Amino acid sequence: MIENEILDSFTEGLVKKGPKSTEEIEVSFLDSYNRLPSGQQFRGILNLATELSKKSELKTSQGVDIQYTKLKQNEKDDSVVDEITMRINLPWETVEHVRENIGRLRNHEIVKYILESTKLSYHIEIKTKVIKYDMFQCRVRFSQEIPVKKDMLKSIIKDISPQDDAQIIFRLKERISVPFPGKEFLLDTTIVRQSNIFRNLTTALEQYEIEVEILKGVTPKKFYDMRDHVLCYMNNQDHIVSLKEKALILNQYKSLFSISGNKKIQTLKLMPVVSMQLSDVEKITENVSLVTDKANGLRGLLTIV
């Protein structure tokens, strides 16, 4: 387990308890700079999904999420967001209908059309009370879903206006889902194209999302084991290299090339090639390090210890 990368007591309590039927606990995985994963990292997770599918059924889905979110930071605790998110999930056949018939309408008009329709197929969910907790390369997110009643739906249709267009986002998603052994965790790997203009969805740049949903209560050790397992596949490593370890390795390179500690490495300096004949031993020992040409044509870094 990564040193000092453990859950706080409150989030650990949520993980131990597990979600109720109206709750969701998700772990989103990020790169080292807390951005969405790269394509290379996503391919690593697809390898994990392939391994898991040997013991569990793999499911695929495709569709569009229409997401409308209003945020308000909690004044007492900045880890809590008073968030109301309405998510309308459209299956692919509904997407085709929307694109052909109303794709050029304004965002709030598209949402109204879908919610007022009695023929279109869609799933709607509204989430509130979002709690987030950041860890190394991942974020734990807890949310509660509230039931959508007819009166609430009528109120949304009535209140949504042109001023809300900027808060409405369209997300074209292709997802692979597969449970872990024991079915305590569900891995979701998703290719997302996102835009606030519906007709631009298919040409938007691909983004990658890696999420694990906690399906039932687990011990902290099981949670850490799952997280570490996912990060190893994501980063193509046998063990996780923490930020502390990365900083230590970087400082060693800086020391090797006499670079001051607070200066960024732009390019690594290439040392002059020195012959490895016995007559050149005196020249070699004058340098702390050097680069040698191997018989196979590759260059290797040699450090004199």
Side-chain angles (χ1 to χ4, degrees):
M1 188 176 72
I2 306 174
E3 184 181 357
N4 297 327
E5 289 294 337
I6 59 175
L7 296 167
D8 66 353
S9 57
F10 178 77
T11 312
E12 185 178 295
L14 289 175
V15 170
K16 284 181 179 179
K17 184 179 65 173
K20 296 178 182 177
S21 58
T22 58
E23 297 174 342
E24 187 175 69
I25 304 174
E26 278 186 335
V27 186
S28 301
F29 288 86
L30 310 166
D31 70 4
S32 299
Y33 302 98
N34 284 335
R35 301 174 303 197
L36 287 174
S38 65
Q40 184 176 354
Q41 290 174 321
F42 188 77
R43 287 190 290 274
I45 290 299
L46 290 180
N47 292 333
L48 172 59
T50 302
E51 287 297 316
L52 294 175
S53 68
K54 294 176 182 178
K55 297 182 179 179
S56 304
E57 183 183 358
L58 183 148
K59 294 183 179 180
T60 60
S61 59
Q62 186 181 34
V64 168
D65 272 359
I66 302 175
Q67 192 167 299
Y68 171 48
T69 303
K70 286 192 173 182
L71 299 176
K72 182 182 177 184
Q73 202 72 34
N74 191 291
E75 295 178 359
K76 296 180 180 178
D77 185 351
D78 61 7
S79 69
V80 179
V81 180
D82 296 325
E83 171 183 315
I84 298 178
T85 299
M86 181 181 70
R87 183 175 295 157
I88 307 170
N89 182 263
L90 305 176
W92 193 247
E93 57 272 15
T94 304
V95 173
E96 290 296 323
H97 174 89
V98 173
R99 182 159 46 187
E100 291 174 7
N101 292 277
I102 58 172
R104 293 191 176 273
L105 294 179
R106 294 185 64 174
N107 292 356
H108 72 285
E109 293 172 325
I110 293 175
V111 172
K112 277 189 175 182
Y113 176 87
I114 293 169
L115 296 181
E116 289 174 340
S117 173
T118 57
K119 296 180 180 179
L120 294 180
S121 172
Y122 65 86
H123 170 72
I124 183 171
E125 59 186 36
I126 296 179
K127 293 184 178 179
T128 184
K129 192 183 178 182
V130 174
I131 300 169
K132 62 182 187 297
Y133 181 76
D134 289 344
M135 304 179 70
F136 175 68
Q137 279 196 255
C138 67
R139 176 174 297 139
V140 184
R141 188 174 185 272
F142 169 81
S143 60
Q144 290 180 323
E145 186 175 335
I146 56 178
V148 181
K149 299 179 180 179
K150 287 185 179 180
D151 291 344
M152 183 184 295
L153 209 54
K154 288 180 181 178
S155 177
I156 292 170
I157 294 171
K158 180 182 176 182
D159 294 342
I160 199 165
S161 67
Q163 285 72 36
D164 297 312
D165 281 356
Q167 279 73 50
I168 297 171
I169 297 173
F170 303 97
R171 290 162 48 86
L172 175 61
K173 302 195 307 184
E174 297 177 68
R175 172 170 287 178
I176 295 174
S177 302
V178 59
F180 279 67
K183 298 188 176 179
E184 296 156 325
F185 306 105
L186 178 69
L187 173 66
D188 287 329
T189 62
T190 313
I191 299 175
V192 179
R193 295 180 186 270
Q194 180 172 302
S195 175
N196 62 353
I197 302 174
F198 188 86
R199 62 181 179 272
N200 291 350
L201 269 182
T202 54
T203 57
L205 293 176
E206 281 188 355
Q207 296 178 316
Y208 308 98
E209 294 180 356
I210 301 167
E211 298 168 325
V212 172
E213 185 178 350
I214 299 176
L215 302 177
K216 53 186 177 182
V218 294
T219 63
K221 184 181 184 306
K222 278 196 173 182
F223 172 85
Y224 299 135
D225 288 346
M226 175 277 296
R227 180 202 60 180
D228 294 357
H229 192 57
V230 171
L231 287 178
C232 284
Y233 268 89
M234 194 171 99
N235 297 318
N236 192 26
Q237 296 171 335
D238 293 329
H239 70 281
I240 307 166
V241 180
S242 68
L243 293 175
K244 184 178 178 181
E245 288 177 288
K246 288 179 181 179
L248 180 63
I249 293 170
L250 189 60
N251 287 335
Q252 288 177 338
Y253 271 104
K254 286 181 177 180
S255 174
L256 183 65
F257 293 108
S258 302
I259 299 173
S260 60
N262 57 357
K263 187 176 180 181
K264 290 184 178 179
I265 295 179
Q266 302 295 334
T267 57
L268 289 177
K269 185 168 60 174
L270 181 65
M271 298 293 184
V273 177
V274 179
S275 170
M276 292 298 291
Q277 297 179 31
L278 291 177
S279 59
D280 295 312
V281 170
E282 290 183 3
K283 295 180 182 178
I284 294 173
T285 53
E286 291 175 359
N287 298 303
V288 176
S289 64
L290 66 156
V291 175
T292 66
D293 280 319
K294 295 169 64 180
N296 59 6
L298 297 177
R299 285 181 167 182
L301 180 67
L302 173 65
T303 303
I304 306 300
V305 180

